[in-house]
Amino acid sequence: MRLTVPSRSAATPSRSLVLIGLAFVFGLALALGGCGGGGGDGGTPPPAPAPATAPQVSQAPASRAVAAGATVAFSVGAVGTGPFTYQWRRDGQAIAGATSATYTTPALATGDDGARYSVVVTNSAGSATSSDAVATVFTPPAAAANCSGQPTDLTAESGTNAVGRTVTVALSGCTTTLPDVTWTQTAGPAQALLAARTQAITFEPAAAGTYAFSVAFRDGTGASGSRTINVDVTGAEAATRVAIRGSAAVREGARTSLRAWPTVASGDSLARVRWSQIEGPAVEMDTSDPNRAIFTVPAVTRDTVLRFRVTLTTTGGTTATDDALVVVEDHAQAPNSGAYPFNGLHVSRVYAYKLTSPFANELVRCTYNAQLQYTSASNNNLCTLATLPFLHQTTNGAVPTVAQIMDRVIVSHDWMGKNFEDFLNTAGASEDLKRMFNGVTAIVIGAQVRPSFYYALTGAIYLDANNFWITPEQRDVISEVPDFRASFDRDLRYSGLWRYALNNQSIFVPYPAGSRLSRPGPAELVFDAGWLLYHELGHAADFMPPAARGGLNNALSAWDNIAPRFSNRQLPSDLLATQFPLTSGEMRALADVKFRTGPRNPDDLVNGIPYSALTTYTPQQAAGFFSADRASDEYAYSTTREDIAMLIEEFMMQRNHEFRRDVAITDKIMPSTTSSTLIVRWGQRGRIGETSLKPRAQLVVEQLTPWVLQGNANAVSSLPAPLAMRAGESWAANLTLPAPPGGQVGRLSVGGRVLTAEEDRMLLERAQTGPHGQGGGVDTAYRPFGHWTPNDRWLEQLRR
C-alpha cells in the first residue's frame, strides 16, 4: 500500500517513562519533593452543579477464558453524572447481590462455558447497558511434560502438522538455563526464521514434506551443545482453517499474547473462536478481542512448555483447530526489593546486535540485566563509563556514524537491528537525530518492551519494537499487550488527542491487527519511530545535557555522573520548571489520573481536587484549563521530565520533517465513536509556535540541542503561529486546516482512500494512546506497581 504520506502505524508505544535512579532512595527525598511535575496550587473550586446526564459505558467488561475451578473478575467504567448504581446480569438475568462496579463470579465449571455477563449502569437521568463479556471455561490443562532426565528437551507441536497451520519447535532447559541459542534449517523448503536466537521458532509450511532444524546452544555453565529435529508436514491447505501466531518463547513473569488467524471457506462465515489451554500451569486469558489471547506467563522452576488450542466454528458447522506452544524460560526477574533497579519490570531476552561491537560482551549486562543493584554510589554493581561509556565519549560530540550507533544496539530479534540500521541510513534519520544519540550508552529494542522508556540509572533508552517492524511476519513476534495505563481515564468526561500532520494528511496509517499488510520500507520508519526517538533522546539529553558531557568521570557509572546535577536541580527540565512553570492545577490533577494513578475513590484528593470533581469536568472546561496554560500536550503535566521531552519532540519533528503536531480536547471517545462523529472543543496544529510557548521551547533547544541555535539563532523564534482547529467540528474534519473552500470536508482518508470502520477506530485509539503505548484495547488485568508507572514508583519511594 503506497500512500501520498508515508505510512505510520496505528498502534505505537508510549510516551516514555523516565526511570529515576535509586541513588537517592536513602537520602534525597527532600530534594525530590517537587519532581515528577511537582505539587499543584490546589486548583480551583469544583464547578457549579450541572444538569444530570445519563450514564454511558466507557469501558465494557472484557471476555475471559479460564480453566474450570477458576473465578473471573469483571469490571465496568462509566461516565455521566454520579453516583451510579449497578446491576450485573448473566445471560440477561439479574445476579442477586451483584450491585457494584466490579463483579467476581463463583468458581466456574465447564457447564458455564459460553456464559455472557453484562451490567446495567443507572443514575437519576437514565441507564446504559454494557456489551456482553463471554466466559470461556475449558477443562484444566494437563501437567507440563517432564524432560525424561535429559539436560535439554527439544519439542515440536503434537498432533498433525499440516499446511496452512503454524508449526512451533522449542528447546527447553531441563537442568540448566540457555542464555545463547541459534537455530539453523538443514532440510526442507526454506523458511525465514525470524526468531532464530530465541528458544523457539515458528513457521507456516507452504508445502508438505520434512523440515529439519539444528539448534546450537550454550547452557548456564558455559558448556556448548547442539540438537537436531525433523518435522513432518502433511496435507493440502484446507479451505477453512485457523493458525496461531505470536512469540513462542518468553521469560517467566511476562505479559504476552497469541493471535488466531481464521480463514473461512467461501459461502460460509465465522461463528466463534474459542481459546483453551491443554498443557502447563493454567493461566487466565483476556479474550476481549476473540482473535487474541493475552495472559501472564507463570513463574516456573525450569523451562516449561504451555500449549494452547484455538477452535474455529463456522455458521455452517465446520470446525478447525490449531495448537501453539509457548516455552516459558526459567529466568529469574529482579527480586522485590528497592535495591534492584528492574524490580517490578519484566526483563526479556536480548543480545548485542553486532557481535563485532567493542561493547558486545557488556551491553546486556550493563543495561538490561534483572540482577543490577544500586543502593548508593559505593554499593552497586552498575557498569562504570570505563566499561560502557556514553556515545559522546566515542565521538567527542560529533555526529556519530551509523556504525558507531549500531555498536550500542541490543535487540530481541535480528530483524529489529537490521530495520533500525536501514532506517539510520536513510534521509529520515536527520543529523539532529544522530547527534542526539551521543547522550546514551545503549539502545535496547525488544518485542516485550512496552512502554518505551529512558533510564537514567543505565544511560540507555528502551524501545518498543512495534515501531520498527516492516513485514507482517516481523510483526507476529511482537507482543500485542496494551500499555497498562490504557484505561486510566475511563471515568473522565473528555478525551485528549494528538497526531502529526503534513499537507492536511495524518502521517499515521492504520494497520489492522487482522491484516497481513507491510509497511512500505525503512525510509518511512521516520513516521513510525521518529517522534519516539526524538522523545527518548530528549530525556537522555535532559539527564546528560551536552554542556555536562565534557567532565564525565569514567570511574563512575552513568547514574553517578548524573546524580550531582540531578540532586541540585540543575537539569534542563528543572530550569524549565523554575523559569517557565506550568500553572494549571486542574490539568496537573487530570494528568495525574490519566498517566500516573488511574481511577481513584470519589473522595480522594488529586492535587487538592476531589476525584469526584475531576470526573465532572466537561470537554469545554478541560479545553479552557489547557489552552490558557503553556504546555504542548497533556502529558507534559505528568512530570517536568515529560514536559521537556514533549517540547523537544515536537520541535524536532517540525524542524526536520515539517510535520506539525495536532493537539485537541474533544468529547469523550466511546465504543461507537468515529473520527467523523467525535467533536473537537478546542485544538491547535503546531502549538509549539504559540507565543506563550516559544520562550519555553527556546530554553529547551538551548539546553538539549545547542548546535541548532548555533546554526540558526532564529530556529525557535521563526516557528509559524499555530493553526486553530474549528470547535464544534469533528476530529476528521479538522485534519484540513484551515477550512477548505466552501467548508466541505469528507470522511477521514489516507492517500485518498476512505478508511474502513476498523481502520478509523485504530486511528482513534492511536490518537489517544500516544502517552500510553500500544493501543488496540484495554488490559484491565494488569497493574504493575499498584497503579504507578515505573518512574512514579521510584519517585514515590524517594518521597517516603
Side-chain angles (χ1 to χ4, degrees):
M1 180 171 59
R2 190 70 183 179
L3 308 170
T4 303
V5 177
S7 65
R8 170 81 196 216
S9 167
T12 53
S14 93
R15 287 293 181 270
S16 69
L17 310 175
V18 183
L19 304 184
I20 306 304
L22 299 179
F24 299 91
V25 171
F26 303 102
L28 294 178
L30 180 62
L32 285 169
C35 290
D41 57 10
T44 58
T53 59
Q56 293 179 282
V57 175
S58 58
Q59 179 189 306
S63 297
R64 293 288 188 267
V66 297
T71 62
V72 175
F74 296 111
S75 64
V76 68
V79 296
T81 304
F84 301 123
T85 60
Y86 305 88
Q87 178 58 63
W88 287 88
R89 308 184 305 180
R90 173 175 162 152
D91 297 328
Q93 302 299 310
I95 302 171
T99 56
S100 68
T102 61
Y103 169 67
T104 301
T105 69
L108 298 177
T110 53
D112 296 310
D113 183 40
R116 309 181 78 88
Y117 294 86
S118 60
V119 59
V120 180
V121 185
T122 304
N123 70 359
S124 60
S127 64
T129 303
S130 75
S131 57
D132 290 343
V134 179
T136 298
V137 186
F138 50 83
T139 301
N146 293 322
C147 286
S148 303
Q150 298 295 318
T152 61
D153 185 28
L154 193 53
T155 308
E157 287 182 28
S158 58
T160 301
N161 294 308
V163 172
R165 294 163 61 176
T166 304
V167 177
T168 306
V169 184
L171 180 71
S172 303
C174 301
T175 60
T176 180
T177 58
L178 301 172
D180 292 314
V181 177
T182 303
W183 295 85
T184 304
Q185 184 180 2
T186 58
Q191 303 296 313
L193 303 181
L194 297 180
R197 295 186 64 182
T198 73
Q199 285 185 223
I201 55 172
T202 62
F203 64 100
E204 295 177 44
T210 297
Y211 295 75
F213 303 92
S214 66
V215 56
F217 59 87
R218 180 173 58 87
D219 67 21
T221 69
S224 297
S226 65
R227 300 283 298 275
T228 60
I229 191 170
N230 293 341
V231 179
D232 293 324
V233 175
T234 62
E237 192 170 66
T240 293
R241 60 190 183 276
V242 63
I244 301 177
R245 300 184 176 116
S247 180
V250 290
R251 287 178 173 174
E252 59 183 318
R255 188 89 170 138
T256 195
S257 65
L258 296 171
R259 175 162 288 276
W261 297 82
T263 301
V264 178
S266 176
D268 206 346
S269 59
L270 183 65
R272 185 184 182 190
V273 172
R274 182 181 186 274
W275 290 89
S276 59
Q277 183 183 353
I278 57 178
E279 183 182 327
V283 301
E284 178 181 293
M285 289 176 271
D286 176 344
T287 54
S288 50
D289 175 346
N291 290 330
R292 180 189 67 189
I294 295 174
F295 57 95
T296 299
V297 177
V300 295
T301 56
R302 67 165 179 82
D303 290 355
T304 302
V305 170
L306 310 180
R307 293 181 188 269
F308 298 89
R309 175 168 295 164
V310 66
T311 303
L312 172 158
T313 305
T314 71
T315 55
T318 301
T319 62
T321 65
D322 192 22
D323 294 352
L325 63 83
V326 174
V327 59
V328 181
E329 301 173 21
D330 178 20
H331 179 87
Q333 298 294 337
N336 185 22
S337 165
Y340 289 82
F342 284 98
N343 165 35
L345 294 173
H346 178 258
V347 175
S348 55
R349 177 188 289 267
V350 292
Y351 51 88
Y353 175 65
K354 286 178 61 177
L355 297 179
T356 58
S357 165
F359 311 105
N361 293 330
E362 310 296 346
L363 280 169
V364 175
R365 179 178 70 84
C366 294
T367 62
Y368 208 37
N369 174 6
Q371 301 310 309
L372 285 179
Q373 298 180 53
Y374 191 100
T375 55
S376 69
S378 60
N379 186 17
N380 68 84
N381 65 354
L382 300 184
C383 295
T384 67
L385 296 187
T387 299
L388 183 61
F390 284 99
L391 183 54
H392 172 95
Q393 295 170 274
T394 300
T395 66
N396 199 29
V399 177
T401 65
V402 171
Q404 288 172 326
I405 297 172
M406 295 307 298
D407 280 342
R408 310 303 187 101
V409 172
I410 304 163
V411 298
S412 62
H413 298 72
D414 279 344
W415 64 260
M416 298 171 189
K418 183 181 186 304
N419 290 357
F420 183 64
E421 184 172 19
D422 289 347
F423 162 67
L424 292 179
N425 281 312
T426 70
S430 67
E431 294 295 283
D432 287 337
L433 180 68
K434 292 176 184 176
R435 183 171 287 190
M436 290 178 74
F437 279 105
N438 280 326
V440 303
T441 59
I443 304 102
V444 180
I445 308 174
Q448 295 284 339
V449 174
R450 182 164 301 137
S452 301
F453 59 94
Y454 163 77
Y455 207 159
L457 210 80
T458 63
I461 58 173
Y462 303 76
L463 305 175
D464 186 341
N466 194 56
N467 296 80
F468 298 97
W469 65 266
I470 293 177
T471 69
E473 291 77 16
Q474 293 171 354
R475 184 189 193 183
D476 288 341
V477 304
I478 302 172
S479 171
E480 290 189 55
V481 176
D483 184 289
F484 64 90
R485 296 169 294 173
S487 63
F488 276 13
D489 66 345
R490 70 184 189 189
D491 296 339
L492 302 182
R493 296 178 64 181
Y494 76 97
S495 292
L497 274 65
W498 70 279
R499 65 190 169 201
Y500 282 101
L502 176 66
N503 298 329
N504 286 331
Q505 291 193 65
S506 172
I507 69 169
F508 302 139
V509 174
Y511 294 90
S515 76
R516 302 301 287 168
L517 298 174
S518 293
R519 288 171 172 160
E524 292 160 38
L525 289 181
V526 66
F527 308 103
D528 296 284
W531 68 269
L532 173 68
L533 290 169
Y534 286 127
H535 190 95
E536 303 304 342
L537 294 172
H539 282 309
D542 180 26
F543 281 85
M544 180 49 65
R549 295 172 191 167
L552 295 171
N553 184 342
N554 280 347
L556 300 177
S557 67
W559 171 246
D560 286 321
N561 274 275
I562 291 169
R565 292 175 55 81
F566 181 74
S567 63
N568 292 320
R569 301 199 176 199
Q570 295 174 339
L571 300 187
S573 52
D574 298 317
L575 300 179
L576 180 67
T578 300
Q579 296 184 28
F580 304 105
L582 300 177
T583 59
S584 174
E586 297 88 353
M587 289 308 305
R588 200 174 299 283
L590 291 166
D592 195 64
V593 171
K594 294 183 72 170
F595 309 124
R596 291 164 61 90
T597 69
R600 305 277 284 273
N601 294 319
D603 295 334
D604 286 353
L605 293 180
V606 186
N607 199 45
I609 303 173
Y611 180 70
S612 59
L614 297 180
T615 63
T616 68
Y617 288 160
T618 66
Q620 291 86 347
Q621 287 175 306
F625 301 147
F626 181 77
S627 61
D629 206 358
R630 299 182 291 187
S632 61
D633 186 87
E634 283 186 281
Y635 199 49
Y637 290 96
S638 62
T639 71
T640 59
R641 316 304 170 193
E642 297 302 342
D643 185 14
I644 199 169
M646 293 301 307
L647 287 165
I648 196 65
E649 173 201 321
E650 181 173 353
F651 173 79
M652 285 297 180
M653 289 289 277
Q654 186 161 330
R655 163 182 161 84
N656 288 303
H657 312 291
E658 298 183 358
F659 303 152
R660 301 187 73 181
R661 195 172 191 278
D662 286 354
V663 59
I665 303 297
T666 70
D667 292 348
K668 182 73 172 182
I669 295 178
M670 306 301 290
S672 61
T673 300
T674 70
S675 60
S676 296
T677 63
L678 181 64
I679 302 303
V680 172
R681 299 304 173 183
W682 175 90
Q684 286 183 326
R685 175 167 296 165
R687 180 166 170 78
I688 198 168
E690 183 72 65
T691 301
S692 62
L693 268 70
K694 283 186 176 180
R696 309 184 86 238
Q698 181 78 17
L699 183 149
V700 171
V701 175
E702 287 175 352
Q703 293 289 320
L704 304 191
T705 56
W707 63 86
V708 170
L709 296 176
Q710 292 166 7
N712 178 7
N714 299 317
V716 175
S717 61
S718 62
L719 288 170
L723 298 174
M725 290 189 182
R726 300 180 295 279
E729 295 189 23
S730 72
W731 176 243
N734 272 291
L735 186 55
T736 303
L737 296 177
Q744 297 299 313
V745 179
R747 292 175 60 192
L748 188 65
S749 64
V750 173
R753 178 179 61 81
V754 175
L755 300 181
T756 66
E758 182 183 12
E759 291 172 329
D760 182 84
R761 186 67 193 179
M762 287 192 71
L763 280 186
L764 277 184
E765 290 177 348
R766 175 71 181 78
Q768 61 181 324
T769 58
H772 302 305
Q774 173 86 353
V778 173
D779 189 15
T780 58
Y782 185 50
R783 288 292 181 268
F785 335 121
H787 279 217
W788 294 94
T789 66
N791 178 51
D792 292 322
R793 185 266 306 267
W794 295 127
L795 290 178
E796 183 67 10
Q797 180 174 303
L798 293 171
R799 290 190 186 103
R800 293 172 182 168

